[in-house]
Amino acid sequence: MTHLTMSLVEIATPILERHKRDHTRLLQILHDIQDELDYISPETMEYLAHELEIPITQVQSVVEFYSFFHSKPHGKFRILFSDNITDRMLGNKDLFDHMLNRLHLTPDTVSEDGLVSVGMTSCTGMCDQGPALLINNMPITHLTPRRIDEICDLVKSGLPVNHWPSHYFKVDNNIRRADELLATAYNMGDAIKAAVAKGAQSMLDEMKRSNLRGRGGAGFTTGVKWELCRNAPSDERFIVCNADEGEPGTFKDRVLLQSFAGHVFEGMTIAGFTTGAKQGFVYLRAEYKYLVKSLQIFLDNMRAAGFLGKNILGIEGFDFDIDIHLGAGAYVCGEETALIESLEGKAGRPRIRPPFPVTCGYKNKPTVVNNVETLCKVTEIARRGGAWYEGRGTRQSTGTKLLSVSGDCARPGIYEFPFGVRISDVLEECGAKDVIAVQISGAAGVCLAPHEFHHRIAFEDVPTAGSFMIFGKDRDMFDVALNFAEFFAHESCGFCSPCRIGTSLVKDMMEKIAAGRGTKYEINEIQRLRDQMKNFAHCGLGQTAGNAICDCITKFRPAFDKHLSSRDFLPAFDLELSLARSREVTHRDDADAHLGAK
Ligand SMILES: Cc1cc2nc3c(=O)[nH]c(=O)nc-3n(C[C@H](O)[C@H](O)[C@H](O)COP(=O)(O)O)c2cc1C
Ligand code: SF4
């Protein structure tokens, strides 16, 4: 190892001790070190690799993989504007430019005094109160030019973010419609006691009877997942709560963790009781780091009350505890096997499946991965039984579903409806008028036109993980598709070629169309690439990356056609545009300096 600065050793040692020098906690260690040192230098990486007894390439690949880790200085204040389509609709680009002007900055460059940098990031989960930004991972919502001015003044004053007035960081729940989950009063321990009274096998039977299906997207039956984990031969099992919530337009898990954490933790504990797992993890997206403190306090209270830890409720051998693990800005880590890699302190690249996590997950042991909302629903089943639960919703989609409603409507926020609700009913309830499209289930989901608004939210009709983005009559659906193309090109983890190349080609073609140089060739190519990704990409990210864009092409073709050139094909390289700068520098404007126009 090269000569080490004392400050690195002094800062890193207590952090390493706090994390018990456990290399699976590498992301947590890097978060803490970056908070102290601003960035992860090559020297720091070398030191950590040595201390954790892991290859330096593992540390380097983790720092490179996650967009919230930095190997170069990025400023005492790191500002990231949320760039979901709903933020764009609320004017985030103008606010971004306004801030850059006020701070005399260009995007993603650190000010000369090392004070601040400003950039864009994918959806931060605040679409009901956008436009939003993160400053040193703390969210600020409802941005206006005035608020941007105030933030710039505070930044220039150098006051650390944790000393800023707390009202800047207020995040509203915006619960607009509550049903059996959001309207039922919570009493700590009731659900765990009810599950224990039934016994592990009966609780599993109730789960299967309820036909509860996962709320994270795929809709797998939760009881069957638990049974597979319970029956897998092993000395250890794990429960993971997937709180990565990276799907653009979704924010219901944020609300559940902010105000219904007891439901989440009890759901996890019941999963532990039923499957025999003794350790649980909440994998929390870094954008929700502001929630960590309140979640830790809640966990401490549960431990103090005897609902977590050793011999829960005084029952010998009923041990279960929960640890919170922060992600670091990678949408793909919502995919359950990528999440497990990340939990193990590695880059979040999806594993080959099978084997599935239920038999071979965290540390290759049987692992249940469930969404935040799924785990909340478990508490209803524990308290009221599977037969009762099965009575709500539709045959294949029982119970209620939380929708994160944003975009062009009077009342954006959280809506809890029984499964089977029509799209048109949701639109009416949230005060949406003159709607031309609804994007269901985020950028990977489905784009519905008005003639489809009679459809129902349900696994057997329109499935969703929860995102419900509304576009009114003045919106350009080409802009929506362009935002999705940029999102996937940014979030592709780069592991497999169909997705790595496909998503960036689709983005390039969409940008070419936006610049007025696209033709029918590009439209056909985008559709062809969608098919390639669907058939050959390694994980769900690439397999779904082209869906919504192609939906927009099919259903909103005039929005694309108006950008298209009438020529059969135009090269991507624009010679005339490229020569413009040379003409400016050489002060030439004669005919020969306009080769590209010929
Ligand atoms: C690219 C990608 C991102 C995902 N993101 C999430 C997420 O943020 N939260 C989530 O619960 N599931 C997400 N999933 C689905 C998970 O892989 C997994 O199916 C889910 O967590 C299982 O929980 P459930 O059975 O309770 O739905 C994602 C899947 C893919 C392919
Ligand atoms: S499909 Fe995309 S995100 Fe998934 S493994 Fe391949 S490159 Fe990574």
Side-chain angles (χ1 to χ4, degrees), residues 329-374:
Y331 165 65
V332 71
C333 286
E335 196 280 337
E336 59 188 5
T337 61
L339 184 157
I340 289 168
E341 287 283 297
S342 185
L343 263 185
E344 291 180 357
K346 296 183 247 167
R349 294 205 180 83
R351 293 179 179 173
I352 292 167
R353 299 187 310 172
F356 293 96
V358 278
T359 55
C360 186
Y362 180 67
K363 293 184 174 171
N364 294 334
K365 304 283 183 180
T367 303
V368 164
V369 182
N370 272 140
N371 172 256
V372 173
E373 185 184 347
T374 313

Side-chain angles (χ1 to χ4, degrees), residues 269-321:
T269 311
I270 294 167
F273 173 71
T274 311
T275 59
K278 300 207 177 297
Q279 178 64 51
F281 296 99
V282 175
Y283 186 90
L284 185 70
R285 70 184 309 216
E287 290 82 346
Y288 295 168
K289 189 177 175 184
Y290 74 101
L291 291 171
V292 169
K293 208 167 166 185
S294 63
L295 292 174
Q296 294 286 19
I297 291 171
F298 206 106
L299 287 173
D300 284 343
N301 290 340
M302 281 184 73
R303 284 183 197 113
F307 296 118
L308 274 182
K310 283 211 161 296
N311 300 333
I312 294 172
L313 294 176
I315 300 166
E316 186 80 23
F318 179 14
D319 304 340
F320 189 76
D321 216 325

Side-chain angles (χ1 to χ4, degrees), residues 213-220 222 225 242-247 253 331-337 353 369-372 374-375 539-541:
R213 294 176 67 175
R215 304 303 201 235
F220 196 81
T222 311
K225 190 183 270 191
N242 188 341
D244 199 49
E245 192 157 61
E247 180 185 285
D253 294 344
Y331 165 65
V332 71
C333 286
E335 196 280 337
E336 59 188 5
T337 61
R353 299 187 310 172
V369 182
N370 272 140
N371 172 256
V372 173
T374 313
L375 291 160
C539 85
L541 188 151

Side-chain angles (χ1 to χ4, degrees), residues 181-192:
L181 170 56
L182 302 180
T184 308
Y186 172 73
N187 198 13
M188 188 187 282
D190 276 2
I192 297 176

Side-chain angles (χ1 to χ4, degrees), residues 65 332 335 348-351 488 491-501 503 533 536-543:
F65 184 84
V332 71
E335 196 280 337
R349 294 205 180 83
R351 293 179 179 173
F488 283 115
E491 295 297 342
S492 167
C493 83
F495 172 72
C496 68
S497 318
C499 170
R500 184 183 65 249
I501 299 168
T503 52
M533 290 193 283
F536 302 115
H538 173 59
C539 85
L541 188 151
Q543 287 155 10

